Amino acid sequence: MMLVKNIITNGSHKDFIKLVQCLDTELHSRYGQLQQEYDKHNTLENIQDVVLLYQDGIPVACGAFKKYDSNTVELKRIFVQPRHRGQGLAKQLIQYLEALAAEQNYTWAVLETGIKQPEAIHLYSSRGYEIINNYGPYSENENSVCMKKALSQQRR
């Protein structure tokens, strides 16, 4: 097992931007033109809470959250480089993000993923997220799957 290091930063970090570009390339390959509908919801300028995971000094995974409402964060831009998948990095990443959000007194996390990402739906379900009615900009989108989880158990 390689050494995994995490850093907390914001949406302007160069490694976060590079990983998000890889994520966007993957999403465009899965969804094609449909992904353009989502691109407007995935801007980085208002993201202040980012976790990056490194293995042996190489950025291999990223995730972020932004305030959704006074009690809720929205997880955004969760991604693990394909060659580093299957090592539990996404679970670590989600755990770091949830703990960081709980430390900031948020009580809920929501997220949106897509119907063509069954592995993501399975991952989030395994971490305690439950499917909810689509919210906000995804409310009318039949390709979206929205999920929610209480963060209260994360608090110390």
Side-chain angles (χ1 to χ4, degrees):
M1 179 71 147
M2 293 183 236
L3 177 65
V4 176
K5 175 186 168 194
N6 74 299
I7 68 164
I8 298 169
T9 186
N10 61 43
S12 65
H13 193 285
K14 64 178 176 51
D15 291 337
F16 180 58
I17 293 168
K18 286 179 188 175
L19 287 167
V20 165
Q21 289 169 343
C22 295
L23 168 60
D24 287 339
T25 298
E26 183 173 312
L27 292 173
H28 281 278
S29 72
R30 287 187 192 215
Y31 292 97
Q33 293 289 68
L34 181 61
Q35 186 58 32
Q36 291 178 355
E37 285 183 41
Y38 293 92
D39 289 344
K40 62 185 172 227
H41 307 301
N42 292 324
T43 61
L44 305 183
E45 64 264 5
N46 294 321
I47 295 182
Q48 300 303 315
D49 297 282
V50 171
V51 173
L52 296 171
L53 297 184
Y54 292 80
Q55 284 187 337
D56 297 331
I58 298 166
V60 297
C62 67
F65 66 78
K66 65 181 184 178
K67 180 179 179 176
Y68 182 72
D69 64 31
S70 61
N71 297 313
T72 310
V73 295
E74 182 180 25
L75 297 187
K76 304 290 288 178
R77 314 314 330 226
I78 307 288
F79 178 71
V80 177
Q81 288 278 21
R83 67 185 174 278
H84 295 278
R85 293 178 183 165
Q87 302 174 35
L89 295 176
K91 290 177 182 176
Q92 283 182 35
L93 191 59
I94 292 166
Q95 187 174 359
Y96 288 136
L97 289 166
E98 290 172 348
L100 187 58
E103 286 172 15
Q104 294 179 29
N105 295 316
Y106 289 102
T107 54
W108 297 96
V110 295
L111 61 87
E112 182 275 340
T113 189
I115 60 172
K116 292 184 180 182
Q117 295 165 264
E119 70 284 1
I121 296 167
H122 175 75
L123 167 69
Y124 298 129
S125 294
S126 76
R127 305 307 304 157
Y129 286 81
E130 296 180 359
I131 294 175
I132 60 171
N133 290 333
N134 288 357
Y135 60 84
Y138 313 108
S139 60
E140 301 297 321
N141 195 324
E142 61 192 33
N143 295 296
S144 290
V145 176
C146 293
M147 304 179 87
K148 185 175 187 177
K149 177 183 178 178
L151 298 177
S152 56
Q153 67 274 17
Q154 297 285 332
R155 292 200 178 163
R156 297 174 202 188

